Amino acid sequence: MKATMTQAGHSPALKPSLGPAQIWNMSFGFLGIQIGFDLQNGNVSRIFQTLGAEVDELAILWIAAPMTGLIVQPIIGHLSDKTWTRFGRRRPYFLIGAILASLALFIMPNSPALWIAAGTLWLMDASLNITMEPFRAFVGDNLPDRQRTVGYAMQSFFIGAGAVVAGALPWVMTNWLGLSNVAPEGQIPETVQWAFYLGGAALLAAVAWTVFSTKEYSPDELAAFESARRGTLGTGQDAPAAALRSAAQFRNGGTLWVVAGLALAAFVVIARSDPRPAFLGTIDIAKDLYVLAALLAGFGVIQLLAASLRGQGRNDSGFMEVVSDLFAMPRTMRQLAVVQFFSWFAMFAMWIYGTPAIAEYHFAAPDPATRGYQDAADWWSLLGSVRNGLAAAAALGFILIAARFDRTRLHAINLLLGAAGFAAMLLIRDPALLWVPMIGIGIAWASIVSLPYAILAGCVPAEKMGIYMGVFNIFIVVPQLLAATLLGFLLTNLFAGEPIYAMAIAAVSFVLAAIATLFVTDGEAAGMPALRAEGA
């Protein structure tokens, strides 16, 4: 791919369109990435429980996944924005992350103890994030505005397809290949082991296909394209500079967050003391809330460090760039952050509690050592394939209607369908009919992993595509961290510890996300007519 010139070579042209095969190739790696993620999402709770974890310990064990994303994605986004090698800008990160993730997938099902499985989850999720984050920026780099919805919908298609493969693997191995889904107490069934082996190989192969079949624009070419785009939109040749947050603002904000974190930690200490404070009654204050306290205080510490560096005039570090960009997000990005918060809180509730919820509520088999529980886990994994197959089909639908439907309203409708799906999981008691709720949840999932990114890519500067995609991930990770710390508390104190009610919480969260979507300003859509008028 090379930049083209107009007016006899004197001014850069708008970014050219790519053909269907090129969009297919640049997105194909997501097939492998999602196989890895869905094997993790569908089986890690099962592995943890098999190795001795209790249901009320699952959320805190899962905290590794969002925590690694919170740290890794902004760093990788910043580094990939600054990278240019003979192998490209984003592609080196694709390949390195895929190799490490594949190794983690080989290790996870052979974990001899719970602490090793928990540590491997950190490695696996960090590696998957190293691979995934640049893929989001990759679409923004290579596609013009008018094709980005198609590009992210294609990624969504491969996300659905990869999840189908991952979800079906344990069930297929049990029911078609005759492998055992039951193992001695404390050991992982061989169906899960072989699913992880095949998933690791598929991840590496799919990412390698994208790496070796796709080219990238150089930073100079991208700068020229962005200049032409801004000229066409009438916004000037250069992106407007964001106002820098002052040292005093960082210091004041940081102090408030640190105080809030310390206050919450002090409350947890008092609430867990003996004797218990009388005003708590029967409310159980779990130690998981220490994690939330640490998150609050940690965000404050980051701001205090930024205040110190700003006061010293040290504004050129990668740390300061990430923090400054976080506080200078475009308005559309801030609006989307609210949508993402409630959307991913719901999805994380399903990933944590899906297996134990189905096992207890629909199969009456809460004990992981029983055949009933393992059958429920296989059935939930297969339902994941149904859900994600529907998501893949929905993504193809998004590709067809991308240019003819308001994206914010479409996303709101999709989220409401997902809320109905979660609610239906409580109303349906026959496990054979659980495929029905998967329709709504699958459509919502396809929308969550495509439409917000398409909207976002049109409102951020091209030279910061990677870092803003990484910062955007914060609004995926934070709700996951809150889910990991609060869901156990809510289920214990409001629903007698029954995991199925995590699906009710997810339904409410999706409704709130749908309402927030209606307030999002789709800045890219406003510029589309001008781009089309120029023959872009």
Side-chain angles (χ1 to χ4, degrees):
M1 299 182 293
K2 293 183 178 179
T4 57
M5 306 295 287
T6 59
Q7 299 179 359
H10 294 296
S11 63
L14 293 166
K15 192 180 296 181
S17 298
L18 298 186
Q22 292 171 300
I23 297 176
W24 175 281
N25 287 339
M26 67 183 286
S27 303
F28 189 76
F30 243 106
L31 176 71
I33 293 172
Q34 194 58 34
I35 288 174
F37 266 122
D38 226 70
L39 283 172
Q40 171 184 294
N41 294 337
N43 295 279
V44 166
S45 286
R46 178 185 192 174
I47 290 172
F48 284 163
Q49 285 191 283
T50 300
L51 294 174
E54 300 295 333
V55 169
D56 59 2
E57 296 175 328
L58 290 178
I60 197 65
L61 287 169
W62 265 91
I63 202 169
M67 186 65 76
T68 51
L70 181 66
I71 297 170
V72 168
Q73 288 221 21
I75 293 174
I76 295 300
H78 170 74
L79 293 176
S80 66
D81 277 344
K82 306 299 183 182
T83 296
W84 182 253
T85 71
R86 55 180 295 192
F87 302 108
R89 187 186 197 186
R90 317 287 184 190
R91 289 177 296 159
Y93 296 93
F94 298 167
L95 193 57
I96 292 170
I99 291 171
L100 294 174
S102 296
L103 290 174
L105 285 167
F106 296 151
I107 295 169
M108 173 62 85
N110 294 295
S111 300
L114 181 59
W115 69 270
I116 293 178
T120 303
L121 178 59
W122 281 85
L123 172 62
M124 184 189 307
D125 206 80
S127 303
L128 288 168
N129 275 287
I130 290 171
T131 303
M132 184 186 71
E133 198 286 331
F135 259 99
R136 297 296 192 190
F138 199 45
V139 170
D141 289 344
N142 285 1
L143 293 179
D145 289 347
R146 65 197 174 279
Q147 284 193 306
R148 282 173 178 161
T149 299
V150 173
Y152 287 111
M154 184 65 76
Q155 282 191 354
S156 182
F157 168 76
F158 281 120
I159 288 171
V164 168
V165 173
L169 278 174
W171 188 91
V172 166
M173 289 179 181
T174 299
N175 294 276
W176 291 3
L177 302 181
L179 298 180
S180 176
N181 71 343
V182 179
E185 185 175 354
Q187 295 185 25
I188 310 302
E190 61 182 345
T191 52
V192 177
Q193 291 179 331
W194 279 100
F196 273 67
Y197 300 155
L198 293 175
L203 188 158
L204 187 58
V207 171
W209 178 273
T210 290
V211 168
F212 295 111
S213 67
T214 308
K215 304 297 182 184
E216 297 185 70
Y217 291 118
S218 71
D220 289 343
E221 289 173 318
L222 289 173
F225 286 139
E226 181 67 5
S227 177
R229 173 179 177 271
R230 292 187 177 280
T232 302
L233 292 174
T235 57
Q237 298 299 304
D238 299 313
L244 292 179
R245 188 175 175 86
S246 69
Q249 288 174 311
F250 275 128
R251 188 177 304 108
N252 293 339
T255 300
L256 288 175
W257 282 92
V258 168
V259 169
L262 293 176
L264 178 58
F267 168 76
V268 176
V269 170
I270 295 170
R272 291 178 60 82
S273 63
D274 189 18
R276 285 168 49 86
F279 69 87
L280 288 175
T282 60
I283 296 176
D284 180 26
I285 303 299
K287 59 181 180 297
D288 299 2
L289 293 180
Y290 283 123
V291 177
L292 179 58
L295 289 172
L296 297 175
F299 185 53
V301 170
I302 288 172
Q303 293 184 66
L304 292 176
L305 178 57
S308 176
L309 293 174
R310 181 79 84 216
Q312 299 172 41
R314 297 165 60 185
N315 298 313
D316 297 330
S317 66
F319 172 82
M320 285 303 298
E321 183 174 356
V322 172
V323 175
S324 296
D325 287 338
L326 173 62
F327 284 94
M329 293 184 297
R331 181 180 63 170
T332 297
M333 187 173 175
R334 294 196 300 270
Q335 295 166 337
L336 285 170
V338 180
V339 178
Q340 292 292 84
F341 177 89
F342 289 112
S343 300
W344 286 88
F345 190 93
M347 294 305 299
F348 209 60
M350 181 188 72
W351 288 329
I352 294 174
Y353 290 105
T355 297
I358 297 304
E360 180 178 312
Y361 191 72
H362 297 91
F363 282 78
D367 186 353
T370 63
R371 178 63 180 263
Y373 178 95
Q374 296 300 333
D375 286 342
D378 281 352
W379 185 238
W380 178 243
S381 183
L382 185 62
L383 287 172
S385 289
V386 173
R387 179 177 66 248
N388 287 291
L390 290 165
L396 293 178
F398 299 160
I399 292 172
L400 295 176
I401 66 175
R404 297 188 295 274
F405 205 96
D406 179 86
R407 291 182 298 197
T408 55
R409 293 189 179 185
L410 175 61
H411 192 48
I413 292 170
N414 294 337
L415 290 169
L416 291 175
L417 291 173
F422 279 125
M425 290 181 67
L426 282 83
L427 300 176
I428 295 173
R429 296 304 299 260
D430 184 353
L433 295 178
L434 284 175
W435 63 269
V436 176
M438 298 301 106
I439 297 173
I441 298 172
I443 293 171
W445 174 234
S447 193
I448 289 167
V449 295
S450 58
L451 296 183
Y453 293 96
I455 296 170
L456 175 68
C459 75
V460 300
E463 69 276 8
K464 291 182 176 290
M465 188 69 68
I467 195 169
Y468 269 123
M469 287 295 175
V471 167
F472 196 51
N473 185 64
I474 292 173
F475 307 110
I476 296 172
V477 170
V478 168
Q480 292 183 11
L481 290 170
L482 288 175
T485 56
L486 292 179
L487 279 173
F489 170 82
L490 294 174
L491 292 178
T492 299
N493 292 285
L494 299 181
F495 302 106
E498 296 184 37
I500 189 63
Y501 287 101
M503 305 304 112
I505 294 171
V508 173
S509 192
F510 261 177
V511 170
L512 295 174
I515 294 171
T517 301
L518 298 177
F519 294 92
V520 173
T521 303
D522 190 348
E524 178 190 331
M528 292 288 281
L531 287 169
R532 288 198 185 98
E534 292 295 323

